[in-house]
Amino acid sequence: MTEVNTPPRVGGWTRFVTARPRLSLLVALVLTALAVLAGSGVADRLGAGGWEDPAAESTYATKALEREFPGSQPNLLLLLDAGGASVDDPAVAAEAERLTERLSGERGVTGVGSYWQSGAPALRAEDGHEALIAARITGDEKTAGETLERLAPHFRGSHGPVEVAIGGPVAVRHEMQTIIQEDLTRAELVALPVTLVLLVMVFGSAVAALLPLGIGIVAILGTNAILRGLTELTDVSVFAINLTTALGLGLAIDYALFIVRRFREELSTGAEPLTAIGTTLRTAGRTVLFSALTVAVSLAAMLVFPQYFLRSFAYAGIAVVLLAAAAALILLPAALILLGHRINALDLRRLFRRGHRPEPAGQQGRAWARTARLVMRRAPFFALGTTVVLVLLGLPFLGVRFGTADDRQLPSTSESHTVQQHIREGFPGSPGGGLEVLAEGRATEAQYGAYKERIAALPGVLRVDGPLVKGDSAYFTVLPKGEAVDDAAQRLVGDLRETLAPFDTEVTGTAAVLVDSKNAIGERLPLAAVFITIVTLLLVFLLTGSVLIPIQAVVLNALSLTAMFGAVVWVFQDGHLSGLLGFTSPGSIETTLPVLMFCVAFGLSMDYGVFLLSRIKEEYDRTGDHDRAVRHGLARTGGLITAAAVILAVVMVAIGTSRVTNTKMLGLGIALAVLMDAMIVRSLLVPAVMRLTGRATWWAPGPLRRFHERFGLSEGEPERPAGEMEPARENVGASPG
């Protein structure tokens, strides 16, 4: 005897995530609360450095000098301004001596020296009205920051005839860390309500709009807890929390948009909620899984680099991507089961319609279908035209100059930036930006003298100080003639390392760190590129079963990033729009930033590419009509991808309002890349190229075809038991939800 109300057939994963929806959401709520506790204070444990290669010569020399000669590398500078008087005035000198002695007695401070003690010309401004006290605050970044906070109020400000301002690397790092935390809080306060408004506009339903936002918050809080745990094991950059917020909101919203929209589509065909969830997870759910894997792969490529600045973004990015996908595939289905048809409740868009008349059904889908037809009719024109435009936009990147992050990352009004700017403009030979040469091995005074003469004869050397000898070690300080990290200073690093000496030598200093960082990135960049390419090709092949589509995806995604790289150089290196955007251009791009931006933007481009390709593949499998499949895929996902891109761009622009230039560059650059990818590459270039390649798009040799049949996963329905009805075929012009 057959029961009348037989439950719908659902897959194992659907049964798992919908069996106890209330319990699932309760557990998620408890875990989120625990994540809030575990992740509290994470920003205070993050570092503001991480650009150096820990295995480089400069890193070894820095640690050795810090251990043996702590005064050789001051990280704290007190700028004493005597006003209209000379720094050699007796009253000024007496006050400077008192401050120097007082600083020498502070806990956690070593290697204190000043112009008034040494008479070194590099510590005295050329106009004679300013001079420096230099010292080193010991300990790691967190300890040094705490020491600076304790000391600064007692030394900053007026002291008799002098005015004291605080600068140096430790002050720059501490101020940068503080500003990033403040800016991130402001960005979240701006991005969350704007994102909610956009989601309401996309979904109409306030209920549906809140779900993606909730998934994003869960992902962000969970990642903060993971980062807090990682700080117990390794160094993590403070910049990583910006990526956590941006990707947490952006990808969670992408995944939730895709799943909620597909669920609403299935409900609109008359399916029951449980059946609709099953279909949604078999189709959109698989796409979300593939998308998360492709983004995670792009971010994982940063693990091959030794700088913890880049590795931190891999930690944060992989964690937030996987948490966003897990929340979208576990928590979201549970919420949808409980809501059922109430997912469409509270349609706020009716408040803005005259007479509460609904918009014509399918209007947005028809518009994207018309776009696809137009592009495919003029495929050569659109393929060539968009490619030329993207290449032209990327041309400024050919003039890129790489540098290192310094005080110019900070607002021009910040104290440490002001101090360093005074030093750059008014002091000879870039004090604090010189090169140190560590000499190891027993040597005579004559040998040291001969080596010093060889150094002084090198082009680009302003002055050589030293040696300061301690046991079998000594060090020389070499001041370059120009900027601390310009091309001449970098060439000088190579010259110093090639200079013959009767002892072992290692060179460090700002320019040496930059040279070593560039070398480390250059050595590992091919490995990262090969890793991203191979794994992306494999994943897209598993999704589509085609040989050509994965190659197209990699090439077109890389092409979509040209505008971002061109804009980064034109705006941030060359200084165009610096007044409008409120930053100081250092005339170069920090070495690790292009790598970071490529990995993040490439992953996000693949995210949108997977959404589009999965829907095209589903329709092609169903009809065998290549052109129809392309039109259908763009019609079904064009509005979704554009909405997701706009929302993610809003989040990135909010991050881009930061007062720290690197964060501003990251946010605005990726926002541009996302919009270019969604509105130009996905809408114009992809359908044009797929029209040109035709049915050959889907070709694969026999062995690969059989491999895909066995291991591949694509968006589509599984074989149905006999007697189970096939859902109605979708109309290309249907509304995207």
Side-chain angles (χ1 to χ4, degrees), residues 374-394:
L374 172 64
V375 171
M376 295 175 75
R377 281 200 303 268
R378 303 286 188 271
F381 170 78
F382 281 100
L384 180 61
T386 52
T387 300
V388 169
V389 169
L390 291 172
V391 170
L392 289 176
L393 290 175

Side-chain angles (χ1 to χ4, degrees), residues 49 115 194 236 281 302 348 390 462 481 537 609 651 717:
Y115 161 72
V194 173
V236 181
L281 291 178
M302 288 185 284
L348 300 181
L390 291 172
L462 176 67
K481 290 181 179 178
L537 290 173
V651 177
E717 299 297 326

Side-chain angles (χ1 to χ4, degrees), residues 356-520:
H356 304 290
R357 296 176 62 184
E359 295 176 349
Q363 183 175 0
Q364 186 177 1
R366 287 201 301 270
W368 284 105
R370 286 195 299 270
T371 299
R373 291 190 187 95
L374 172 64
V375 171
M376 295 175 75
R377 281 200 303 268
R378 303 286 188 271
F381 170 78
F382 281 100
L384 180 61
T386 52
T387 300
V388 169
V389 169
L390 291 172
V391 170
L392 289 176
L393 290 175
L395 287 180
F397 192 71
L398 296 177
V400 65
R401 296 186 298 274
F402 294 108
T404 187
D406 59 19
D407 60 282
R408 285 169 288 192
Q409 294 287 316
L410 296 169
S412 58
T413 55
S414 71
E415 181 183 25
S416 56
H417 180 131
T418 302
V419 169
Q420 298 302 128
Q421 192 66 26
H422 274 255
I423 293 172
R424 265 191 300 272
E425 295 175 351
F427 285 70
S430 300
L435 296 169
E436 288 83 28
V437 181
L438 173 66
E440 294 182 303
R442 188 172 296 277
T444 65
E445 184 176 342
Q447 288 174 319
Y448 283 136
Y451 179 67
K452 181 176 181 179
E453 289 179 1
R454 286 195 289 272
I455 294 177
L458 293 174
V461 173
L462 176 67
R463 192 178 73 254
V464 183
D465 294 330
L468 182 63
V469 182
K470 181 180 179 182
D472 291 342
S473 299
Y475 84 90
F476 300 82
T477 300
V478 182
L479 293 181
K481 290 181 179 178
E483 287 280 344
V485 293
D486 62 10
D487 292 340
Q490 294 179 56
R491 286 193 297 270
L492 180 57
V493 172
D495 292 339
L496 287 170
R497 288 174 174 173
E498 293 175 359
T499 301
L500 295 177
F503 33 73
D504 294 330
T505 61
E506 291 85 20
V507 181
T508 187
T510 308
V513 171
L514 173 60
V515 169
D516 290 340
S517 180
K518 289 167 64 175
N519 290 339

